[in-house]
């Protein structure tokens, strides 16, 4: 996909790094950004590992918040989001 779009100089990790930076700029908490990116809490971080439970719907809402910020900054119109919560029977922790 990167080659097709003329972006072969980028690596997937560059995109992950950019996502983390833009999530921070959108004022989304570091723990939420890391969880969206699939990171597990650091060893010894008891609060993140045991006390903060984030549902899939909460992570989805924050991901959409980051997406809105990115689109706003780039001057791209906001997409019309369907009511996505109806697609989930229940949240998975």
């Amino acid at each position: 996909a990167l080659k097709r779009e003329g972006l072969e100089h980028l690596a997937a990790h560059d995109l992950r790094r950019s996502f983390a930076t833009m999530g921070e700029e959108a004022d989304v908490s570091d723990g939420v950004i890391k969880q969206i990116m699939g990171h597990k809490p650091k060893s010894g971080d008891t609060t993140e590992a045991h006390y903060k439970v984030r549902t899939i719907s909460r992570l989805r809402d924050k991901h959409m918040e980051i997406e809105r910020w990115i689109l706003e900054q780039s001057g791209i119109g906001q997409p019309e989001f369907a009511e996505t919560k109806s697609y989930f029977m229940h949240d998975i922790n």
Side-chain angles (χ1 to χ4, degrees):
L2 292 172
K3 185 175 182 180
R4 181 185 68 229
E5 299 301 322
L7 300 171
E8 57 270 355
H9 61 284
L10 292 176
H13 194 73
D14 295 326
L15 300 175
R16 289 177 58 82
R17 208 175 299 124
S18 294
F19 178 82
T21 301
M22 288 185 264
E24 184 177 287
E25 288 293 322
D27 291 326
V28 173
S29 77
D30 190 49
V32 170
I33 294 167
K34 286 179 180 177
Q35 192 170 353
I36 289 171
M37 293 175 65
H39 291 237
K40 294 192 185 261
K42 288 182 182 176
S43 168
D45 190 347
T46 304
T47 303
E48 280 292 326
H50 301 291
Y51 298 111
K52 292 187 178 179
V53 177
R54 297 182 183 102
T55 62
I56 292 294
S57 64
R58 180 76 174 136
L59 293 173
R60 180 184 60 243
D61 291 345
K62 289 298 184 179
H63 195 281
M64 290 168 64
E65 192 176 310
I66 295 168
E67 181 180 357
R68 278 191 291 272
W69 184 88
I70 292 169
L71 293 173
E72 180 182 292
Q73 298 306 305
S74 62
I76 298 172
Q78 301 294 317
E80 293 295 324
F81 288 107
E83 181 57 43
T84 56
K85 292 181 182 179
S86 64
Y87 296 117
F88 293 94
M89 297 293 284
H90 56 83
D91 286 325
I92 301 170
N93 294 326

